Amino acid sequence: MKKLSLAALASGALFGTGLAMSGMTDPRRVLGFLDLFGDFDPTLMFVLGGAVATTMLLFRFVLRRGSPVLADTFHLSTLKGVDRRLLGGAAIFGIGWGIAGYCPGPALAGLGVGSIEALWFVPALLAGLLLHRLVNRA
């Protein structure tokens, strides 16, 4: 378990460093990407394109391993269709992203670079996670 925790920490640190280097910890970049008819900033498209290209190239090779290096099995989604919960969650996520300019990864990385916005966003994110757990427990 210690190796798994260290790998998770290293992965998170690498992800956060990449977000910080690309400027994605700045919510103005994200909001600029969403502002198609104003001060449009295409930077996020390049970051997203790099992530999608990397995944397309390497995902099949990773899955050929049979199991992850530090776990017994891969934990992949079994969902095969689109339902109301997925659409509703995507809509809420998108609205929050559009209002704040943050999603969870960049918000946590933003804490690491001292972003004032992240100090407001992360507690709201945690409250949303708690609300989700309470609603789904019933």
Side-chain angles (χ1 to χ4, degrees), residues 6-98:
L6 287 174
L9 178 65
S11 297
L14 180 63
F15 180 71
T17 300
L19 288 172
M21 287 177 62
S22 65
M24 292 300 115
T25 57
D26 182 357
R28 290 177 297 255
R29 287 226 191 231
V30 174
L31 294 173
F33 175 74
L34 298 173
D35 189 5
L36 297 176
F37 303 108
D39 192 19
F40 179 69
D41 181 356
T43 314
L44 180 59
M45 193 172 358
F46 294 108
V47 174
L48 178 60
V52 169
T54 302
T55 301
M56 287 177 61
L57 289 172
L58 299 177
F59 198 70
R60 290 180 188 230
F61 293 112
V62 169
L63 291 180
R64 285 186 190 158
R65 293 187 51 88
S67 68
V69 175
L70 299 175
D72 295 331
T73 61
F74 287 106
H75 299 280
L76 302 173
S77 176
T78 58
L79 295 176
K80 300 294 182 205
V82 176
D83 60 7
R84 287 188 335 175
R85 285 179 51 121
L86 177 62
L87 291 174
I92 291 169
F93 179 90
I95 290 167
W97 192 43

Side-chain angles (χ1 to χ4, degrees), residues 112-124:
V113 297
S115 168
I116 298 298
E117 294 95 345
L119 289 174
W120 287 99
F121 181 85
V122 171

